[in-house]
């Protein structure tokens, strides 16, 4: 503590007393010399070291460079006294940076503090890593930090710090964090009781989820659930209310997190194949409606402004994020309509902060919305904002105008921007010029307007016009024949102005050189006049512009023989200038021009320029520089809807490109790339499993979340002989046990009608402690074929020895072969994950049909043999009485919802059945089957015929399982 | 992410500087630059400042839209300044500044500029309970205060165990050097008499 150290207090007082900076410096130099000497002499006790290091820190905070004390700070860290340790850590975090060599020396002390049983020391160590940790520390300490985060004995305040520290290490060195493997465990902490822990873990999840969208998809449900509890249920401790708003930081973070997941609507496009994962969670109507409710409530809350500044701030912070999410989810929803109304009110608010953020949010809306109408209504206000007294607001208005510009209002907006450009802040001009140039090109309704505007732009803000702007003008004029004559005239008029910017001279030089002859016959544009106007400017120009003008002159020698003497005269003079480039050009041109008149060389050299190949505007690429690393990604950019779509595409390309870009981020970019490759490979797998002819439903078929980066042990199904038996039994029974172990029992009851079904899942806690962070998700391989969703968000805790029930809605759209997978994870001491198949198979959607003998055989023949028939022969067991188990056969067949038809097959042992499969998209498919067991051979023949070959094959597989002998 | 937390007074003297990302230039220059940007803004303007000018100091942001944003708030003689990127909510940061100030006030009882000068280490410890590595750690003033108190207690204990004769004067944060105490806290809106240096 500073006050305990008299020397330090004196030192601070002295420095405060120094009247001028020189005295202060003198005092500091004296002190530093003294400290250096003391350190050199050695033999200092802990207190002295602490005192001197504290003085060094103070000096550093004042902004002076310090180069002593690092070693002593390292020593202090390993002190057993907290007061010394704390100062040591403070010095390390302030004086060192992640690449400092001294940090190697502290790794071991930090590890010791991390492993210690003393939480306060744990915290010091975590804090130090979070501030200065680099990749070396990440390698050495990531495991320890992770342990502190997940250990059930960790206190809340340790967990918080551990979460953020892990995040830091991930940013510095993503490879050391097996993010996908840890995903469920980390996400489960989002259910923590302590909101402080939730804030920190959400930050961590946010960073990890951006790079591992699918592995972390569960966080979506968690986030929505937490929002619901905070906003609707008001379920939070009073301490976390900040001026009556429940933890605004957490709300903002959660709302932001949700924006990293693509809205469900866009899945249809197929272009989003990478994010198609977990379609279920995001497309789940229950979650959507809860979220809608949250957003609606948030927006309604803002209707009553309060007089307290802090309360307003907090409320608006949440509101703006909610608006942003609403825009992200669906720009056509009524919520966005409400948002547009709120924003319209905000941008004319008296409070500057609100105006600023209102314009920012509106730019987001403009960047995503299909229709700009609601924004255009505010056009007047927005244009007025360009003249706001605050430059920050002016910038936002500029961005918004850029985003909301389209063909209809481009002339107005560009005109307005041009007018404003003349009075705009210096700092703003370059960006404005670029944006005006882009808008002009993008939304030009006529070439004349384009040329007029760009030339006006160059003449009024020449010094801010980058080269790419005038290159582009030249390209466009060259490629557009209709424009050439007009452009030549206009540029000529512009050049007449007494002072012109060099960019304008360059454009003029090029265009008049190429197309000056087109206007030479009109009064006022004669060759000599053109020459005088242009040459008059040349004396104020730099060498590169002058060389351009020389090229113009040689072109004129070709087309304007009447001014050849003047031009030759100029070449002659330039032959003696010092600049090598100029001199060379002048010499060459002079030689070329002095050849006899009938020579064709000059004519050939000065051929008209061919049109430029169509190429992408360099302006846009300059505006959209890309990046790929573990920093938070922005979810949208300024510009219209297309700009945002384009950006998504290029982002994907750049990450796929595996290009190392810049320092440190290379590895991250590479990681991204591999991930994407991984998920591509995963999609391939899913393709092959659905068309695979393996006899049993493949165990490892988890295509929705397959990614090479996720280790098998997470995605592998929970196995066991009973698991298999329970599942098989449930395929032809409506209710029963699906899974059971010492902690939990999962049971299922189901009811089907037509293509729809309801599944109630009972989950019973068998132990005497609550199961916390309880998470259930269901995934299907092909959401187009089978849709399944929870009726409501599952509770996150199951009390000891109680049961909860969850209702699932199922709909069969098309034929499917892989059953959905239920993932249940919870905390009971350690983190447990159970992944099992849900007994939802295609026969569940069968309904009985009644057929007479004649009808049956007629259809049986009509369908015919393979491929619409599937047949197998397999061994069967005899029952205790050494007879065929006909009862079981009957149970299995009717359990699979096929109507057993009696009196059709003459052999009483045989079984004949019929059913119709109901699907909402593909319609109805009939199915007939025959079971022919043989007692003597202990074999059974199963024949299934159906109008759809897939159905026949699948039904045969499903029935064969339970009928077969238990081997 | 929060990239820097700065406190300086109305004359531009830094009272707290904490950078969470490595700097490209001397910290003195960047503090001066930010000070010149902010001090020229009259009251009534918004608390946010887009600062492309800072790219030279903090390194360019990769995305054109991903600008550095300066969020600041002034309390009597002091400016509290946070430099953040696009991942943070501006108003959220504004709230965070308020939490920081309330936490300081809780620890120092009517905190004033002098407290920040003489207890610079304590200020850093408090900040460490709010922000860690550029991310928000805790926003609940009670929670922050109790962590700070716990650390102060640990410090006091280690101090008394080392100096058995100290009679427990080992500094709690609240025991201030009486002679230097100024009666008026700046939170009350009155300007305390703190000179330029």
């Amino acid at each position: 503590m500073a006050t305990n150290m008299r020397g330090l207090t004196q030192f601070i007082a002295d420095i405060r007393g120094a009247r001028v900076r020189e005295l202060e410096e003198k005092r500091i130099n004296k002190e530093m010399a003294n400290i250096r000497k003391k350190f050199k002499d050695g033999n200092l006790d802990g207190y002295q070291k602490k005192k001197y290091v504290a003085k060094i820190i103070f000096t550093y905070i004042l902004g002076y460079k310090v180069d002593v004390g690092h070693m002593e700070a390292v020593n202090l860290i390993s002190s057993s006294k907290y007061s010394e340790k704390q100062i040591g850590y403070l010095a390390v975090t302030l004086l060192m940076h992640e690449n400092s060599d001294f940090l190697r020396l502290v790794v071991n002390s930090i590890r010791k503090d991390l492993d210690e049983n003393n939480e306060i020391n744990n915290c010091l160590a975590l804090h130090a890593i979070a501030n200065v940790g680099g990749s070396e520390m990440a390698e050495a300490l990531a495991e320890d930090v992770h342990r502190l985060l997940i250990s059930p004995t960790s206190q809340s305040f340790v967990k918080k710090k551990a979460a953020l520290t892990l995040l830091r290490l991930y940013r510095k060195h993503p490879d050391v964090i097996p993010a996908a493997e840890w995903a469920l465990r980390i996400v489960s902490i989002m259910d923590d009781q302590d909101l402080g822990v939730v804030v920190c873990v959400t930050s961590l999840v946010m960073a990890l989820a951006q790079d591992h969208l699918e592995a972390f998809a569960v966080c979506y449900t968690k986030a929505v659930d937490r929002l619901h509890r905070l906003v609707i249920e008001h379920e939070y401790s009073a301490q976390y209310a900040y001026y009556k708003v429940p933890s605004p930081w957490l709300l903002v973070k959660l709302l932001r997190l949700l924006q990293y997941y693509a809205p469900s609507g866009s899945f249809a496009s197929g272009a989003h194949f990478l994010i198609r994962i977990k379609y279920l969670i995001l497309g789940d109507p229950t979650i959507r409606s809860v979220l809608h409710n949250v957003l609606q409530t948030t927006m309604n809350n803002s209707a009553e402004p309060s007089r307290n500044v802090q309360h307003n701030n907090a409320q608006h912070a949440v509101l703006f994020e909610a608006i942003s999410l609403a825009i992200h989810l669906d720009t056509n929803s009524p919520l966005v309509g409400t948002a547009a109304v709120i924003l319209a009110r905000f941008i004319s608010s008296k409070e500057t902060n609100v105006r600023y953020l209102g314009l920012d949010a509106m730019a987001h809306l403009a960047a995503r919305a299909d229709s700009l109408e609601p924004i255009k209504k505010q056009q007047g206000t927005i244009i007025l904002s360009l003249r706001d007294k605050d430059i920050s607001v002016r910038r936002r208005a500029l961005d918004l105008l850029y985003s909301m510009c389209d063909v209809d209002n481009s002339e107005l907006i560009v005109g307005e921007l041009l007018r404003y450009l003349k009075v705009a802040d210096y700092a703003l001009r370059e960006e404005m010029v670029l944006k005006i140039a882009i808008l002009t090109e993008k939304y030009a309704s006529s070439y004349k307007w384009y040329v007029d505007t760009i030339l006006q732009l160059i003449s009024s803000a020449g010094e801010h016009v980058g080269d790419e702007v005038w290159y582009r003008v030249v390209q466009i004029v060259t490629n557009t024949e209709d424009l050439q004559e007009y452009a030549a005239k206009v540029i000529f008029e512009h050049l007449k102005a007494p002072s012109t910017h060099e960019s304008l001279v360059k454009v003029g030089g090029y265009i008049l050189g190429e197309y000056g002859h087109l206007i030479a016959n009109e009064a006022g544009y004669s060759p000599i006049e053109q020459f005088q106007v242009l040459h008059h400017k040349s004396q104020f120009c730099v060498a590169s512009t002058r060389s351009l003008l020389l090229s113009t002159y040689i072109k004129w020698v070709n087309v304007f023989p009447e001014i050849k003497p003047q031009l030759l005269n100029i070449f002659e003079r330039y032959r003696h200038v010092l600049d090598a480039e100029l001199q060379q050009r002048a010499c060459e041109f002079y030689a070329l021009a002095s050849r006899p008149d009938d020579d064709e060389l000059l004519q050939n050299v000065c051929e008209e320029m061919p049109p430029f190949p169509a190429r992408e505007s360099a302006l846009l690429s300059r505006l959209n520089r890309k990046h790929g690393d573990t920093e938070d990604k922005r979810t949208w950019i300024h510009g219209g809807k297309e700009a945002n779509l384009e950006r998504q595409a290029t982002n994907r390309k750049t990450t796929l490109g595996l290009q190392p870009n810049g320092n440190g981020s290379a590895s991250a970019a590479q990681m991204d790339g591999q991930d994407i490759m991984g998920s591509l490979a995963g999609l391939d797998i899913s393709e092959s499993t659905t068309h695979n002819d393996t006899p049993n439903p493949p165990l490892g078929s988890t295509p929705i979340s397959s990614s090479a980066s996720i280790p098998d042990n997470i995605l592998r199904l929970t196995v066991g002989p009973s698991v298999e038996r329970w599942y098989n039994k449930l395929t032809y029974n409506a209710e029963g046990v699906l899974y059971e172990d010492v902690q939990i029992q999962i049971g299922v009851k189901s009811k089907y009608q037509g293509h729809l079904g309801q599944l109630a899942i009972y989950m019973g806690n068998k132990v005497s402690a609550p199961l916390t962070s309880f998470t259930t998700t269901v995934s299907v391989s092909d959401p187009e074929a089978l849709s399944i969703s929870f009726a409501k968000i599952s509770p996150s805790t199951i009390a000891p020895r109680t049961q909860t029930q969850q209702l699932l809605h199922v709909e069969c759209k098309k034929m499917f072969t892989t059953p959905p997978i239920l993932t249940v994870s919870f905390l009971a001491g350690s983190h447990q994950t159970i992944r099992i198949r849900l007994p939802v198979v295609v026969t569940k959607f069968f309904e009985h049909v009644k057929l007479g003998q004649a009808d049956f055989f007629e259809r049986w023949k009509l369908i015919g043999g393979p491929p619409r028939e599937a047949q197998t022969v397999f061994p069967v067991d005899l029952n205790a009485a050494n007879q065929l188990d006909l009862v079981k056969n009957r149970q299995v067949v009717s359990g699979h919802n096929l109507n057993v038809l009696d009196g059709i097959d003459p052999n009483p042992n045989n079984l004949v059945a019929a059913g119709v499969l109901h699907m909402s998209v593909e319609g109805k498919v009939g199915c007939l089957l025959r079971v022919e067991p043989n007692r003597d051979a202990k074999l059974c023949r199963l024949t299934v015929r159906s109008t759809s070959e897939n159905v026949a094959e699948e039904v045969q597989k499903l029935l064969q399982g339970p009928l077969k002998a238990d081997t | 992410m929060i990239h820097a937390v700065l406190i300086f007074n109305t004359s531009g003297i830094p009272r707290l500087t904490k950078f969470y990302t490595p700097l490209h230039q001397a910290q003195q220059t960047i503090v001066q630059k930010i000070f010149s940007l902010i001090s020229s803004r009259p009251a009534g303007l918004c608390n946010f400042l887009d600062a492309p000018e800072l790219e030279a100091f903090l390194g360019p942001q990769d995305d054109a839209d991903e600008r550095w944003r300066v969020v600041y708030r002034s309390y009597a003689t002091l400016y509290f300044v946070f430099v953040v990127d696009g991942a943070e909510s501006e108003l959220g940061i504004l709230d965070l500044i308020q939490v920081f100030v309330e936490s300081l006030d809780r620890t120092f009882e009517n905190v004033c500029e002098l407290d920040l000068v003489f207890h610079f280490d304590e200020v850093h410890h408090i900040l460490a309970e709010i922000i860690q590595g550029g991310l928000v750690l805790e926003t609940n003033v009670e929670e922050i205060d109790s962590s700070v108190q716990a650390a102060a207690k640990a410090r006091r204990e280690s101090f008394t165990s080392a100096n058995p004769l100290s009679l427990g004067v080992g500094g709690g944060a609240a025991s201030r050097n009486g002679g230097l105490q100024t009666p008026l806290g700046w939170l009350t809106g009155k300007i305390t008499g703190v000179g330029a240096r």
Side-chain angles (χ1 to χ4, degrees), chain A residues 24 86 160 243 352-353 638, chain B residues 44 47 65 102 138 155:
Chain A
E24 184 181 304
Q86 200 182 19
K160 285 188 291 196
Y243 292 93
T352 324
N353 285 349
H638 288 294
Chain B
N47 299 79
D65 274 318
E102 285 181 19
E138 181 56 76
R155 202 166 46 223

Side-chain angles (χ1 to χ4, degrees), chain A residues 1-2 4 24 81 86 160-161 165 167 200 239-240 243 256 310 352-353 356 390 392 396 623 638, chain B residues 41 44 46-48 50 62 64-65 73 87 102 118-119 128-129 132 135 137-138 140 155 162 171 197:
Chain A
M1 192 67 228
N4 300 333
E24 184 181 304
K81 292 200 194 85
Q86 200 182 19
K160 285 188 291 196
K161 293 202 158 121
T165 308
L167 170 53
C200 297
Q239 288 186 341
Y240 276 92
Y243 292 93
R256 183 72 60 105
Q310 322 295 357
T352 324
N353 285 349
Y356 172 94
D390 190 341
S392 299
R396 289 287 80 89
L623 209 63
H638 288 294
Chain B
R41 289 168 65 83
C46 69
N47 299 79
F48 320 119
D50 289 20
D62 304 318
D65 274 318
R73 219 166 169 170
E102 285 181 19
F118 282 94
H119 300 273
E129 295 301 330
Q132 179 180 289
L135 290 151
L137 178 69
E138 181 56 76
N140 174 353
R155 202 166 46 223
R197 288 189 182 274

Side-chain angles (χ1 to χ4, degrees), chain A residues 857-887:
Chain A
F857 280 112
E858 187 188 327
R859 281 169 209 213
W860 183 265
K861 281 190 196 116
L862 207 65
I863 296 172
R868 292 198 282 191
E869 177 193 271
Q871 189 176 62
T872 50
V873 177
F874 50 88
V876 286
D877 283 338
L878 301 181
N879 63 11
N882 218 18
Q883 290 297 321
L884 288 166
D885 198 345
L886 296 176
V887 182

Side-chain angles (χ1 to χ4, degrees), chain A residues 374-411:
Chain A
I375 303 171
K376 281 187 190 160
K377 276 189 213 145
Q378 310 302 325
Q379 200 160 293
T381 322
I382 298 166
I383 289 174
L384 270 184
S385 305
L386 268 184
R387 292 176 163 71
D388 197 280
K389 62 183 190 289
D390 190 341
I391 181 172
S392 299
V393 176
R394 293 196 290 267
R395 276 184 209 278
R396 289 287 80 89
L398 174 63
D399 283 340
L400 174 53
L401 284 174
Y402 175 67
S403 288
M404 66 184 279
C405 190
D406 66 7
V407 186
D408 302 332
N409 57 12
S410 58
E411 293 201 17

Side-chain angles (χ1 to χ4, degrees), chain A residues 889-950:
Chain A
N889 287 358
R890 208 181 169 87
Q891 264 176 5
V892 169
V893 173
S894 55
H896 274 292
N897 297 318
L898 288 143
N899 194 16
V900 177
L901 304 169
D902 293 317
I904 288 184
D905 201 309
N907 183 345
N909 287 346
N910 289 0
L911 241 164
V912 169
V916 172
L917 169 62
H918 290 255
M919 295 175 289
S920 57
V921 175
E922 286 182 343
K924 295 179 185 177
V925 172
C927 181
L928 308 173
L929 73 86
R930 193 172 188 192
V931 184
E932 298 158 285
N934 185 319
R935 189 172 82 94
D936 303 331
K938 289 193 189 172
L939 287 175
C940 177
R941 183 165 68 185
L942 170 66
T943 316
V944 184
R945 288 186 179 187
S946 162
T947 43
S948 153
E949 42 192 285
N950 294 340

